[in-house]
Amino acid sequence: MTALADHGADHGAEQGVGQADSPLRRFLADFFESRVATVAFAALLGIVFIALFAPWISPTNPYDLATVDILDNRLPPGSEGFTGMTFWLGTDGAGRDILSAIFYGLRTSLSVGVMSGLIAMVMGSSIGLVAAYFGGRTDTLIMRIVDVQLSFPAILVALVLLALLGKGVDKIIVALVAVQWAYYARTVRASALVERRKEYVEAATCLALDHRRILFRHVLPNCLPPLIVVVTVQTAHAISLEATLSFLGIGLPVTEPSLGLLIANGFEYMLSQKYWISIFPGVALLITIVTINLVGDQLRDVLNPRLQR
Amino acid sequence: MSGPALVELQGLSKRFVKSLDLAGKLASKLGSSIREETVYALDGVDMTVAKGEVVGLVGESGCGKSTLGRIVAGILKPSDGRILYDGRDVSSLTPAEAKAVALKVQMIFQDPFASLNPRMRVRDIVGEAPLVHGLVSRGEFESYLDDVLARCGLDASYKRRFPHQFSGGQRQRIGIARALAVKPDFIVCDEAVAALDVSIQAQILNLFIKLREDLGLTYLFISHDLGVVEHISDRVYIMYLGRIVETASTEDMFAAPNHPYTRALLREVPRLETRHSDFLPIEGEIPSPLDPPRGCHFHPRCPHAMQRCREEAPRLREVAAGRLSACHLNDGI
Ligand SMILES: Nc1ncnc2c1ncn2[C@@H]1O[C@H](COP(=O)(O)OP(=O)(O)OP(=O)(O)O)[C@@H](O)[C@H]1O
Ligand code: SF4
Ligand SMILES: [Mg+2]
């Protein structure tokens, strides 16, 4: 047998294996196979759209004192206001349109959740990668800190930090990052530990590629599937944690009301039958968190490396 | 051995220490039998590979073949000993020289699946290193890549594909192309055909032989398949539990093995159809590298073991021109 003649046989066998389908395309096809996930994804897109464009699509600007009329206060859903506009979800104690307040609240809640999620992800994954790749003492030290961090309830850590730092968007982001980075570090370390033992990493070492390149271009992309799942779950977690803190009055300042604060504001009226002030922001929060989690669940199923390949 | 040595290993040792975690340390302080475990994967290995030579490395599973290959390829650091490349100690090189030497020694891996990054396209798998190290300019990159792929029997149209779209044989070709792309002189093949179908094995072996002729490559060919080793190697090293026990030209080795371990390995290998003959199991168990036997490592299984063998490790010494063996029997009784 000559070296040239047998190539043909080798090639012929695999032509059918796949017609240049990229992993991304396969992934998308798998993801949208589930109807629930498709609906959840569409809903999430809608929510993100509302959050991004709240100032342009809200019926009113609920925080512009010139347009808010105190005489419109506590109107039930569907009532017509003093100026003749309809408040589909009613108004709150200060006469603000609940629908607009929800739009603005989503904007705040989502941006705080996503910001803290992203920062925690970048920090946590880098730390987890370094721990896995270098191993030894570095790894032991980092993972001890992670263990300690994760053994405290998130809400407790956040409460203590906010008590020390005070109120403000930046402060709450710091607090959320502080309670979240460890999840990312743990997830990325676990998958990086598996990846770094694979021969393609040895091959990269053998090709004299530097550590940073191997870590971020070779190992990290292979840790992405579990990381993406954690990103969605943790973002949902961050949003609900922020809502809890704001509800307790130690999260965001009243000038930047998130959904949690809206719920808190309406809470006092719950007993006097004025349910809408609290309930509608609550429903918005619920829908947001459920859709993110549904999308996350489907991602987990689709990206599960044990089911793939 | 023909020309000057390209790679020379002197007294190479590798120990893997599995240190205790905090709980383990505490337990051992409190009198538990948990101890730090040390695996003696390599123990004073000497080896010389001449330019253009194909050297086979044979031994039972776990004897340290892959560890040796990884150290030569620069993936692992030795615990002791020196590696000379072209006569120069690689640990004494400047960083720039060390990188150049690192690229000159490449490795082909056993697992055609795990050895390719599943998230990279063939273009990046093969082309990343030459581009990063400036071995090829961006302008010439595409044609350079096509050349390397063609040399390994791969079509240029495969560049945009991902590893999962190929079969084992083709993946192995991609791995070979990746190594060739940085213009190596020396290639460590660690069981490079073991995971492939028998029919594909022959193709890949032919490719290795052809590349050697075309590019003047030198190989360290690790395999447990005696047929493959006999087919491709000029010279063979036999390894047992981290030590080299015998080396000779392939012809001499297969015609008249000297060391009792080699004799046991080659015993009754079907002489006409040596291809794909794995070792026959040798009587007795392979001792654990955690706790290798004193003296000659082979003595618990050796039919000729004497008192001396239990106490004193035999040194590797010349028994005939170009033949080394480590056995007390050669000391002429
Ligand atoms: N990273 C490591 N940590 C601890 N022990 C290791 C490590 N790598 C190898 N070993 C041990 O070193 C010894 C030699 O392993 P090595 O992989 O070199 O053997 P091998 O001859 O290649 O075996 P095989 O034929 O099964 O591939 C084995 O006992 C193995 O368990
Ligand atoms: S040294 Fe002794 S035990 Fe070892 S191979 Fe030779 S005869 Fe056997
Ligand atoms: Mg091996």
Side-chain angles (χ1 to χ4, degrees), chain A residues 1 3 6-7 10-11 14 17-21 23 26 199-200 202-203 206-209 213 218 221-222 225, chain B residues 70 73 103 106 109 111 114-115 117-120 128 132-133 153 158 162 164-165 167 170 173 178 203 206:
Chain A
M1 237 195 285
D6 43 41
H7 296 169
D10 198 3
H11 297 172
E14 30 259 340
V17 171
Q19 292 306 325
D21 60 331
R26 269 198 309 173
E199 289 175 345
Y200 73 83
E202 296 192 332
C206 200
L207 292 167
L209 301 176
R213 194 175 194 90
H218 292 247
N222 285 290
Chain B
R70 289 195 168 94
L103 289 179
Q106 288 300 310
F109 298 88
D111 186 342
S115 62
N117 189 334
R119 293 193 188 266
M120 287 171 92
E128 182 184 18
V132 167
H133 296 304
Y158 293 170
F162 288 92
H164 76 264
Q165 294 171 284
S167 70
Q170 279 181 310
R173 289 177 192 273
R178 171 177 61 193
Q203 299 169 15
N206 284 338

Side-chain angles (χ1 to χ4, degrees), chain B residues 289-306:
Chain B
L290 279 174
D291 184 21
R294 273 169 50 82
C296 175
H297 283 172
F298 191 51
H299 82 248
R301 301 161 83 188
C302 179
H304 311 284
M306 323 167 264

Side-chain angles (χ1 to χ4, degrees), chain B residues 35-51:
Chain B
R35 291 282 175 273
E36 264 194 358
E37 292 189 335
T38 306
V39 178
Y40 295 86
L42 292 179
D43 183 8
V45 168
D46 296 321
M47 181 181 274
T48 315
V49 183
K51 256 192 190 103

Side-chain angles (χ1 to χ4, degrees), chain B residues 237-304:
Chain B
Y237 279 85
I238 309 285
M239 202 167 171
Y240 186 73
L241 227 60
R243 291 180 186 163
I244 299 294
V245 296
E246 182 170 7
T247 173
S249 72
T250 309
E251 241 168 74
D252 292 350
M253 185 76 87
F254 281 82
N258 173 281
H259 196 279
Y261 176 63
T262 318
R263 275 184 260 160
L265 270 187
L266 302 186
R267 179 180 43 128
E268 291 177 53
V269 167
R271 292 302 305 156
L272 284 176
E273 239 311 294
T274 48
R275 179 144 282 273
H276 315 304
S277 46
D278 280 7
F279 313 135
L280 297 172
I282 301 173
E283 242 169 79
E285 286 199 14
I286 311 175
S288 159
L290 279 174
D291 184 21
R294 273 169 50 82
C296 175
H297 283 172
F298 191 51
H299 82 248
R301 301 161 83 188
C302 179
H304 311 284

Side-chain angles (χ1 to χ4, degrees), chain A residues 146 150 152 154 179-188 230 234 237:
Chain A
V146 166
L150 291 180
F152 288 109
V179 300
Q180 288 192 308
W181 71 272
Y183 291 97
Y184 292 98
R186 192 176 58 177
T187 307
V188 169
V230 175
Q234 286 302 317
H237 187 215

Side-chain angles (χ1 to χ4, degrees), chain B residues 55-118:
Chain B
V55 166
L57 178 61
V58 180
E60 283 164 301
S61 180
C63 71
K65 306 183 296 293
S66 298
T67 304
L68 179 65
R70 289 195 168 94
I71 291 177
V72 173
I75 295 168
L76 286 177
K77 296 265 161 291
S79 311
D80 276 317
R82 302 202 305 160
I83 305 165
L84 306 185
Y85 186 86
D86 239 347
R88 299 174 62 196
D89 188 337
V90 295
S91 64
S92 70
L93 300 176
T94 65
E97 289 171 330
K99 185 183 245 177
V101 167
L103 289 179
K104 285 293 172 199
V105 183
Q106 288 300 310
M107 183 148 174
I108 312 289
F109 298 88
Q110 168 168 7
D111 186 342
F113 288 83
S115 62
L116 302 181
N117 189 334

